[in-house]
Amino acid sequence: MLPHDACIAELISFIRTSPTAFHAAAASAALLAGQGFVRLDEQECWGRLPAGKYYVLRNESSLIGFTWQDTAAAFSIIGAHTDSPGLRLKPNALRREQGCLQLGVEIYGGALLRPWFDRELSLAGRVAWQDKDGGLRSALLDFQRPVGIMPSLAIHLNREANKQQEINGQTEMVPLVGLAGDTAIDFQQILRAQLCHQQPEATPVGIIDHELFFYDAAPPALAGLHQEFLVSARLDNLVSCFAATQALRTADSIDNCLIILNDHEEVGSVSAAGAKGPFLRDVLERLLPEAENRQAVLRKSFFISADNAHAVHPNYTAKHDPQHLPQLGRGPVIKFNANQRYATTAASGARFRQLCAQAKVPAQDFVSRSDLACGSTIGPLTAAGIGVDTVDIGIPSLAMHSIRETAACIDCWHLCRVLTRFFQHG
Ligand SMILES: [Zn+2]
């Protein structure tokens, strides 16, 4: 297990290389491949896999990685999600308005919109391109520099700006990306040039389609008098993706250890690669083809669903139940909900608490105020999908779904330690 400072440095590097779900899946895959994990292809038959370490990608945005022992061993499973709320380019995004070039976007997931204004934005995601033989290929792009900005309206033109105001996604969330000038601009050509810059060996005839997202061009930062805070975009849920990947890299359990990092959690998880889709079930059916054995194995298996929790905000303490006030720096949060928005049971909560004690990590509890709607995550979906005992947990954080979220470094380290312990023998 990495010491605290090295762990946070690697986490920051992981976040920087993961501006989108595609990049997060690729970053996790690269860490696993570097540790000797072998990539499996879903388009091929796997047969009876020999004991070993494997990973598989779906849609280039979801990943399952696992250590494989045998067909009778229980599975220790960690789940997280690769996607974060943001702004996704529309298919025909480029437009000219009052001398400016702009790119139209759709709002992806439940983004907190106000913090997106007046920040340098970069652009990343996936493009589908055609090679000179007519073949369709795919590549990940990342401009890695500020290319857009969404300026606020000056206070002089809107004296009500500091009172709560609705933001119109169609008319107000349209980043500026340049001066229009008088010559025609072909956005596909700009993407083609970026692809050639990133992959000099690629020979794209043209870019056919894209799934590109704006993201905060500012890198993650440590803040606080003693650098206690990690401040960054996408802490929800890249901290958990990183911790799960680190745990699997060093796994030495006699159980089968598996991580699943799903895309599309922020938009309801209904997709081929999302937690409500068949990805995990498909992989488990390949590994455990005999139905009764699979059910027996899954009933003795355990799933830790890791997704960030709401720490109590010192300026808004009334938003939490007074008996359940998870604080920054005091360890992972176990999430409870009577209506099964979280899958934690007495048994699964106790098991996670025991794991925390073994790892010498503190744990806290969260339940929503009874007069506030509760969020949800992949835990209940996976529990319902494959019938595995599940606990929902996550690091406490502030400003969830902002372009800039805040967590305590020590909690990120705590999470890495407890998840690593979960995949250790004995
Ligand atoms: Zn999340």
Side-chain angles (χ1 to χ4, degrees), residues 175 262 272 339 342 365 382 423:
N262 281 119
N339 299 306
Y342 299 127
D365 299 319
T382 306
F423 282 171

Side-chain angles (χ1 to χ4, degrees), residues 2 11 14 70 297 324 362 372 393 420:
L2 290 170
L11 168 60
F14 184 84
D70 69 70
V297 165
H324 301 86
L372 268 183
I393 60 104
T420 296

Side-chain angles (χ1 to χ4, degrees), residues 77-81 83 236-237 240 260-266 268-269 274-277 280 299 301-308 333-337 339-345 348 374-394:
I77 310 175
I78 301 169
H81 64 87
D83 61 324
D236 173 16
N237 190 8
S240 305
I260 174 157
L261 311 180
N262 281 119
D263 193 4
H264 299 144
E265 190 274 346
E266 299 292 358
S269 296
K276 240 178 173 169
L280 180 56
R299 289 308 302 143
S301 297
F302 191 60
F303 178 53
I304 298 179
S305 158
D307 196 359
N308 291 5
V333 177
I334 306 172
K335 309 176 193 176
F336 294 84
N337 182 259
N339 299 306
Q340 295 301 306
R341 304 284 289 167
Y342 299 127
T344 310
T345 63
S348 67
C374 181
S376 192
T377 180
I378 59 171
L381 303 178
T382 306
I386 60 169
V388 65
D389 286 346
T390 299
V391 64
D392 272 300
I393 60 104

Side-chain angles (χ1 to χ4, degrees), residues 8-310:
I8 300 306
E10 288 210 11
L11 168 60
I12 287 174
S13 159
F14 184 84
I15 294 171
R16 289 193 74 164
T17 53
S18 305
T20 71
F22 303 112
H23 293 82
S28 175
L31 286 173
L32 295 178
Q35 207 69 27
F37 282 70
V38 175
R39 182 169 179 176
L40 297 169
D41 185 343
E42 282 198 285
Q43 295 186 17
E44 292 171 1
C45 291
W46 299 350
R48 277 178 67 92
L49 283 181
K53 307 189 284 187
Y54 303 93
Y55 71 96
V56 53
L57 289 160
R58 184 177 283 197
N59 187 44
E60 300 180 277
S61 62
S62 291
L63 173 142
I64 289 176
F66 57 95
T67 59
W68 178 235
Q69 311 288 352
D70 69 70
T71 54
F75 274 84
S76 297
I77 310 175
I78 301 169
H81 64 87
T82 53
D83 61 324
S84 300
L87 308 181
R88 190 173 100 164
L89 258 57
K90 291 178 175 174
N92 303 313
L94 193 69
R95 65 188 225 191
R96 291 161 179 269
E97 196 70 47
Q98 303 302 326
C100 288
L101 283 178
Q102 295 180 285
L103 292 175
V105 296
E106 289 183 278
I107 295 163
Y108 177 85
L112 191 61
L113 297 181
R114 187 66 65 194
W116 281 79
F117 289 86
D118 306 323
R119 300 193 68 90
E120 297 87 17
L121 304 173
S122 188
L123 200 56
R126 173 170 68 172
V127 291
W129 55 280
Q130 192 171 20
D131 64 25
K132 57 182 179 350
D133 302 320
L136 286 179
R137 312 267 202 110
S138 141
L140 305 194
L141 288 192
D142 182 2
F143 281 75
Q144 293 188 318
R145 62 183 173 85
V147 296
I149 182 85
M150 211 152 51
S152 308
L153 185 63
I155 187 101
H156 316 81
L157 304 179
N158 178 14
R159 295 286 180 192
E160 303 295 303
N162 290 332
K163 299 182 181 155
Q164 270 207 335
Q165 283 205 318
E166 212 174 298
I167 295 173
N168 185 306
Q170 172 68 20
T171 61
E172 296 182 78
M173 304 296 293
V174 193
L176 315 184
V177 292
L179 298 175
D182 296 325
T183 48
I185 289 178
D186 183 345
F187 185 56
Q188 310 297 77
Q189 281 301 330
I190 293 171
L191 296 181
R192 185 175 172 277
Q194 179 65 26
L195 173 58
C196 293
H197 169 69
Q198 281 185 226
Q199 294 184 18
E201 72 285 1
T203 52
V205 176
I207 303 292
I208 311 298
D209 272 302
H210 57 73
E211 289 170 275
L212 295 167
F213 294 79
F214 278 108
Y215 71 93
D216 187 3
L222 297 179
L225 293 173
H226 301 289
Q227 303 202 311
E228 301 95 324
F229 299 129
L230 175 60
V231 182
S232 171
R234 305 181 305 284
L235 292 179
D236 173 16
N237 190 8
L238 294 182
V239 175
S240 305
C241 289
F242 171 78
T245 304
Q246 287 294 349
L248 188 61
R249 290 175 78 199
T250 54
D252 72 350
S253 172
I254 52 171
D255 287 346
N256 301 308
C257 297
L258 183 147
I259 65 170
I260 174 157
L261 311 180
N262 281 119
D263 193 4
H264 299 144
E265 190 274 346
E266 299 292 358
V267 291
S269 296
V270 183
S271 74
K276 240 178 173 169
F279 187 27
L280 180 56
R281 199 172 58 238
D282 288 350
V283 167
L284 290 171
E285 284 181 4
R286 286 186 190 227
L287 297 175
L288 306 169
E290 207 271 299
E292 190 175 9
N293 174 59
R294 183 170 63 250
Q295 287 165 20
V297 165
L298 284 175
R299 289 308 302 143
K300 63 183 176 185
S301 297
F302 191 60
F303 178 53
I304 298 179
S305 158
D307 196 359
N308 291 5
H310 297 296

